[in-house]
Amino acid sequence: MSRYAEFKPDSDFCKAVVGAGWADAERLAAALKQSRATERSLPDLLCADAGAPEAELYRLLADKQGLPLEDLRGFQADRALVERVPIRIAGHYHFMPVRQEGRGVVIAVESPLNLKTLDEIRLHLGFGVQQVLARRSEIEEALKRHYGFAARTVERIVSDEEASGESVESVDVPVEQIDRMAGDASVINLVNEILYDAVQRRATDVHLEPYRGEFRLRYRVDGVLYDANLSAGAKNLIPPVLSRVKIMANLNIVERRLPQDGRAVVKVKNQNLDLRVSCIPTPHGESVVIRVLPTQMIFDLKKLGLTDDNISLLEGLIKKPHGIVLLTGPTGSGKSTTLYACLNKLNSKDKKIITIEDPVEYEITGITQIQVSPQVGLDFARGLRSMLRHDPDVMMVGEIRDFETAEIAIRAALTGHLVFSTLHTNDAASGATRLLDIGVEPYLTASSVEAIIAQRLVRTICPRCRVEDDAQDYSLKKRIAADLGLKSINDVKIHRGRGCDNCGGTGYHGRTALHEVLMMSEGIKSLILKKASATEIKARARQEGMLVLLQDGWKKVLEGVTTPAEVINVADFEGELSAPPERKTPEGAASVYPGGFAPVSTAAAPPAEAPRPTEVRPRPVPQTTRPTHPQNRSYDRTNIEIEVHYKPFDPRLDLTRLEKDHVAFSEDLSAGGMLIKMTESFTLGSLLELKFKIFEHGNRQLQCLARVVRVEETPDGSTYLVGTMFMDLSTQDRQYLDDFVKKANRRSAGA
């Protein structure tokens, strides 16, 4: 009998499910019958088979059953409680221990359990239990997080071995036993769980790494490795797990001294996956990496992260009848994917396309693909030489590694073939000099190469939790504005991901590419003929309008696609990007303000003698003249007008001799800063020296440095509202100011 056999949803729940369109009456009745006959809960059946929204369904079920709904996202249970409830019990009945209450424990279940099941759990645990509801997916994640990945499967394997009287303590298992265990249903299930979990996490690689006394499982997701948190007992299963993977890839399980490579095709979630398995020997066993590739993939130039201008350039290149198009970048930068997208665009019945690759990553119908095999003497040069005898229109060479391969590729390009290939260089300009370094004559490079494209991959911000990032440093925004030639730093908007279920809490979901397209113009060709350096070639290309990798990355930052940290991580080697031009002050003197930016005055030069400070009692400012502010402030704020004396400040110079005080009036005030109405604007990050008096039980003059954090132009365009943050206000003055603001607000409320 199912553990859900006695679960009887009330009529209101059934009516709500049918009314919401999640299931009709017949499907609901069938799901309820199936739940009572099997171990699948009604919410699981409705979500998986009927397509009901999980979050809304569980909220409705909790409301109708009168049970609390527990949120287990990011939940961390007490370690002592987890150790008190064995995984064999929690996994078998599919619940997560949440907390201890009195002498019992609260467990999160996906659907109300029947009385017999609850009694069984009480008997196994030795204490009472209370139920709360939680989403099935959240329970599964909580079990993995607290007990370790595949903990239930590992526990079952160990229990079966102990029951049979065989020891599993030693990892040095004989080959015969490994072979037998590799075919055992439990080990097969464990490997299947690893692969299924990898697909669920969108992993591109699975790393199985044995060390002394432990076994490490890691996934590479969006280019970053994450630990899978295997259960403690998994270290005893290293040999059978690795042997099972080798059997799947048709490798020799007896050979553990030499590297081996193989492949396998598996089906996960109705999707065929191509697994590339590589084994290398280590002192504590074989380390295995499984590359997970879909057997069918859609290659679209518009989905590769290319800008509209670069798409136009690339589409023009692939229409050329001959020439070489080179892609450069390190291993794992997506070069092959871009090449496949180009070939897929060209793939038609009237074109013969042949490739030679190491390895063939994706199979494309209509394209003849050759796998490099050094064991039999088939390398890039020999394969390329043979390809020419098959009358191809388009050719792709996986990589140009030596002079012989480069020479044959150039000969093919000069005799009417369009050739695609890759080089391992940091940027596009270095690709031209690399060909010269391996022995290609400059005139051959200039006459055969049509373009060189550099590429890098960056993680993209999760679209479901993307928010604007206001905490980014001012200097970074200034750098982005300067590198892109923006007129104002206010045009720089940076985003980030907060972290959610969709992205696994990382804030990133998926990857996109940065590109640098170097077209072989006449100017570039002349530099190549002169054997110019990569720096000279890049400088000329930038003059002709080429955007370097860093600039393409900054554009994607402004579009909210990725973060500055991702761009800097892969493309911050552009030392040739010029600093912003030095600006001038209104008087014509060189800028002396932090970051090279000076205040831009919109009014006439200040008078020779600034007016003397006058004592002004605070008076309320009409609410309509004050712009809106965020409500989550550290200090209270009040609308008040106070005379403020200010002047620009630079720590490197004594500006007291250069500038006289300017006079303005505040719009509002807090112990953290003030909003000042001025006739001139300042750039964000500028420093000001402020002086102002507070009339409260006598005059108190305050003086401090303040940083400009916000600038807004008033509707009439005659003045600016400049938001400042106090930098070095003493603790005593800050407390005095905070008390003053609170009293002013109380008086205003009383009035």
Side-chain angles (χ1 to χ4, degrees), residues 333-404:
S333 59
K335 301 186 299 296
S336 297
T337 302
T338 302
L339 289 178
Y340 280 122
C342 294
L343 295 181
N344 189 61
K345 186 86 172 177
L346 291 168
N347 192 11
S348 61
K349 295 181 179 180
D350 60 343
K351 280 188 171 60
K352 175 76 171 182
I353 304 176
I354 307 179
T355 72
I356 179 166
E357 309 167 55
D358 183 21
V360 176
E361 293 193 11
Y362 302 102
E363 296 178 5
I364 303 179
T365 304
I367 296 178
T368 304
Q369 296 173 275
I370 305 172
Q371 169 77 51
V372 167
S373 181
Q375 296 87 349
V376 296
L378 178 57
D379 55 13
F380 283 115
R382 185 172 182 179
L384 185 55
R385 195 180 296 112
S386 300
M387 287 162 60
L388 290 171
R389 304 190 189 104
H390 284 251
D391 188 30
D393 298 296
V394 180
M395 306 163 68
M396 187 186 89
V397 185
E399 183 184 350
I400 294 179
R401 297 176 178 174
D402 49 41
F403 171 72
E404 186 179 7

Side-chain angles (χ1 to χ4, degrees), residues 337-578:
T337 302
T338 302
L339 289 178
Y340 280 122
C342 294
L343 295 181
N344 189 61
K345 186 86 172 177
L346 291 168
N347 192 11
S348 61
K349 295 181 179 180
D350 60 343
K351 280 188 171 60
K352 175 76 171 182
I353 304 176
I354 307 179
T355 72
I356 179 166
E357 309 167 55
D358 183 21
V360 176
E361 293 193 11
Y362 302 102
E363 296 178 5
I364 303 179
T365 304
I367 296 178
T368 304
Q369 296 173 275
I370 305 172
Q371 169 77 51
V372 167
S373 181
Q375 296 87 349
V376 296
L378 178 57
D379 55 13
F380 283 115
R382 185 172 182 179
L384 185 55
R385 195 180 296 112
S386 300
M387 287 162 60
L388 290 171
R389 304 190 189 104
H390 284 251
D391 188 30
D393 298 296
V394 180
M395 306 163 68
M396 187 186 89
V397 185
E399 183 184 350
I400 294 179
R401 297 176 178 174
D402 49 41
F403 171 72
E404 186 179 7
T405 306
E407 185 184 35
I408 300 171
I410 288 174
R411 188 189 310 159
L414 294 176
T415 54
H417 301 86
L418 181 60
V419 181
F420 293 91
S421 190
T422 68
L423 285 172
H424 285 289
T425 60
N426 283 335
D427 55 12
S430 298
T433 58
R434 176 62 56 83
L435 291 176
L436 302 181
D437 292 339
I438 63 177
V440 178
E441 292 294 332
Y443 71 91
L444 290 177
T445 300
S447 58
S448 62
V449 177
E450 295 293 336
I452 304 176
I453 304 171
Q455 180 170 313
R456 296 290 190 280
L457 291 180
V458 294
R459 292 184 292 175
T460 55
I461 301 173
C462 176
R464 295 190 185 178
C465 61
R466 181 175 59 189
V467 294
E468 188 170 344
D469 189 359
D470 296 325
Q472 286 291 347
D473 187 60
Y474 162 77
S475 60
L476 176 62
K477 292 186 176 182
K478 184 188 71 173
R479 179 185 181 186
I480 295 175
D483 288 347
L484 294 180
L486 302 179
K487 295 181 179 179
S488 171
I489 198 173
N490 295 327
D491 296 334
V492 179
K493 302 294 183 183
I494 299 176
H495 296 78
R496 64 177 178 87
R498 289 180 306 202
C500 63
D501 291 342
N502 185 52
C503 60
T506 64
Y508 296 98
H509 190 281
R511 288 193 289 178
T512 190
L514 311 182
H515 296 93
E516 176 181 296
V517 182
L518 174 64
M519 300 297 295
M520 284 294 168
S521 64
E522 293 302 321
I524 300 298
K525 290 180 180 179
S526 65
L527 289 176
I528 293 175
L529 292 173
K530 297 175 183 177
K531 296 185 177 181
S533 66
T535 303
E536 294 176 282
I537 294 174
K538 176 169 283 190
R540 178 59 182 266
R542 290 193 63 208
Q543 291 175 3
E544 295 178 358
M546 181 188 78
L547 291 180
V548 298
L549 287 168
L550 191 62
Q551 290 173 308
D552 191 33
W554 291 151
K555 293 185 73 172
K556 287 180 171 58
V557 168
L558 298 188
E559 293 168 2
V561 175
T562 188
T563 62
E566 285 292 302
V567 175
I568 291 173
N569 187 45
V570 301
D572 193 20
F573 50 84
E574 309 296 346
E576 73 282 356
L577 284 180
S578 59

Side-chain angles (χ1 to χ4, degrees), residues 536-647:
E536 294 176 282
I537 294 174
K538 176 169 283 190
R540 178 59 182 266
R542 290 193 63 208
Q543 291 175 3
E544 295 178 358
M546 181 188 78
L547 291 180
V548 298
L549 287 168
L550 191 62
Q551 290 173 308
D552 191 33
W554 291 151
K555 293 185 73 172
K556 287 180 171 58
V557 168
L558 298 188
E559 293 168 2
V561 175
T562 188
T563 62
E566 285 292 302
V567 175
I568 291 173
N569 187 45
V570 301
D572 193 20
F573 50 84
E574 309 296 346
E576 73 282 356
L577 284 180
S578 59
E582 187 180 55
R583 301 189 181 185
K584 303 294 183 179
T585 62
E587 292 78 19
S591 169
V592 294
Y593 300 102
F597 288 89
V600 181
S601 177
T602 59
E609 290 292 334
R612 295 178 60 82
T614 57
E615 180 182 309
V616 179
R617 286 180 176 268
R619 62 180 178 81
V621 178
Q623 187 69 25
T624 56
T625 65
R626 177 176 176 258
T628 59
H629 296 281
Q631 299 302 315
N632 54 341
R633 297 185 180 276
S634 301
Y635 299 100
D636 290 347
R637 181 173 294 268
T638 187
N639 300 340
I640 208 163
E641 184 177 277
I642 295 177
E643 185 178 272
V644 182
H645 293 254
Y646 70 93
K647 58 185 173 184

